Amino acid sequence: MSSLALLVGIADHGSLSAGARSVGMAQSNATRAIKTLERRLGYELLARSTTGSKLTPEGKLTVVWARDSLQSLNTLWTGAQALAAPEDREFTFAASMTVAEHLAPLWIGKLHEADSHIKTKMRVMNSQEVIAAVQGRDIELGFVETPDIPAALSSRIVWTDDLVLIAPKSHPWAQRSAPVTLSEIASTALVEREAGSGTRAFLDDSIQGARAVPLVEFNSNSAICQAVSAGMGPAILSRMAVESLLRMGNFALVPLQSGNLKRNLHSIWRGTEPAHGPAALLLEICAQARAAI
């Protein structure tokens, strides 16, 4: 990963020496690192000449992939630190699965940039469990996907999300030209999240009627994606949860006649909005991130 960071630094700063300085690496070590990376990848990343080194076309494409990999690693590290932090010394909040996987790591990173003394603990649970934790005063702030927020809790929209229909490539829905209707969704057994999840509650609310018993239930988005990839059946999930696997061609994106289902993700808390402290700062960061879309 340090070699990939170096490669991105070369692209951003225009030369091997400047790229090495940007990642705190001696130029001699940087030269060796790039040569080792080239051997491992099997192609040249830099075109070397007496006037300096420039990225080859293959090198430029590799930089694009490297940026994605480094961002994913940063998201993993930030999220993992929040999960591992001891609760007795931290600002603790809870988040439902989609929020925890795709939004919370970015918010936590911004929170630490704003105040490096804040140590954050994130608890991951489904939306109903988050609501119960806020109501029970176990946590000050929570993030949920369900539209069913108790009237006694305060809330704010922090993100607007698309739910999309995915299916195995061999499924009839992936082969047809006509979009799938909500009535077809209602009568079809899907691969679904467990009862209590925000995704499940939102889909129930959108269809507003009886639905087929789930084909199988999982308590994580990644498990559902794996099941769909394996051919088990169709599912409806957040676009954020399926985007990378769609690019890889693991399954098909199936159009819905009504268009993608849009839902609001909410922060929730008891009483009046926090005026100061980590919870107030995190809410402000969420608002800024949403405004920047």
Side-chain angles (χ1 to χ4, degrees):
M1 299 307 293
S2 62
S3 297
L4 294 180
L6 169 62
L7 187 65
V8 170
I10 294 170
D12 290 343
H13 298 281
S15 70
L16 177 63
S17 58
R21 286 194 298 272
S22 73
V23 297
M25 188 181 295
Q27 184 167 343
S28 58
N29 292 337
T31 299
R32 285 194 294 271
I34 291 296
K35 287 182 177 179
T36 298
L37 186 57
E38 287 176 327
R39 285 197 301 273
R40 289 178 176 174
L41 295 175
Y43 53 84
E44 289 190 347
L45 298 167
L46 296 181
R48 299 163 178 85
S49 69
T50 55
T51 58
S53 301
K54 295 190 179 299
L55 289 169
T56 63
E58 294 84 358
K60 292 177 181 178
L61 182 57
T62 305
V63 166
V64 174
W65 297 331
R67 290 188 196 278
D68 288 342
S69 298
L70 293 168
Q71 179 59 54
S72 295
L73 181 63
N74 182 62
T75 298
L76 166 65
W77 182 241
T78 303
Q81 285 181 309
L83 292 175
E87 292 191 39
D88 58 347
R89 295 182 292 123
E90 311 314 5
F91 160 58
T92 301
F93 71 92
S96 57
M97 186 64 68
T98 301
V99 175
E101 285 179 341
H102 303 284
L103 296 173
L106 302 177
W107 296 338
I108 293 168
K110 293 291 185 182
L111 183 64
H112 290 174
E113 288 177 14
D115 187 341
S116 61
H117 295 97
I118 297 174
K119 300 194 183 305
T120 309
K121 172 75 178 181
M122 178 171 65
R123 293 168 59 184
V124 183
M125 50 187 74
N126 69 33
S127 290
Q128 286 304 316
E129 291 168 338
V130 174
I131 289 171
V134 174
Q135 289 176 320
R137 301 181 180 273
D138 292 337
I139 53 169
E140 181 180 1
L141 185 65
F143 296 91
V144 296
E145 303 161 47
T146 180
D148 304 323
I149 299 173
L153 295 181
S154 299
S155 66
R156 180 198 290 176
I157 297 171
V158 293
W159 204 260
T160 299
D161 184 28
D162 274 354
L163 291 185
V164 297
L165 174 61
I166 58 174
K169 290 186 172 181
S170 59
H171 193 275
W173 284 355
Q175 312 298 320
R176 64 187 244 182
S177 56
V180 174
T181 66
L182 286 182
S183 62
E184 288 178 292
I185 295 290
S187 61
T188 301
L190 303 177
V191 181
E192 297 205 43
R193 286 290 306 276
E194 79 286 3
S197 80
T199 300
R200 176 92 166 255
F202 181 84
L203 188 55
D204 288 342
D205 190 65
S206 298
I207 290 177
Q208 295 184 337
R211 291 211 295 123
V213 175
L215 188 63
V216 64
E217 297 179 9
F218 292 106
N219 64 0
S220 78
N221 295 333
S222 58
I224 292 177
C225 288
Q226 291 172 19
V228 177
S229 298
M232 189 172 290
I236 288 185
L237 283 180
S238 166
R239 182 182 290 276
M240 292 185 291
V242 305
E243 207 154 24
S244 61
L245 294 175
L246 277 172
R247 288 199 300 266
M248 295 169 62
N250 288 41
F251 36 67
L253 179 65
V254 181
L256 287 167
Q257 188 179 63
S258 57
N260 294 336
L261 302 173
K262 291 191 177 296
R263 64 174 177 175
N264 292 321
L265 310 182
H266 291 84
S267 56
I268 58 172
W269 63 91
R270 299 179 311 278
T272 59
E273 184 170 335
H276 53 78
L281 184 54
L282 184 56
L283 284 173
E284 179 59 27
I285 287 168
C286 294
Q288 292 172 356
R290 184 174 179 233
I293 299 174

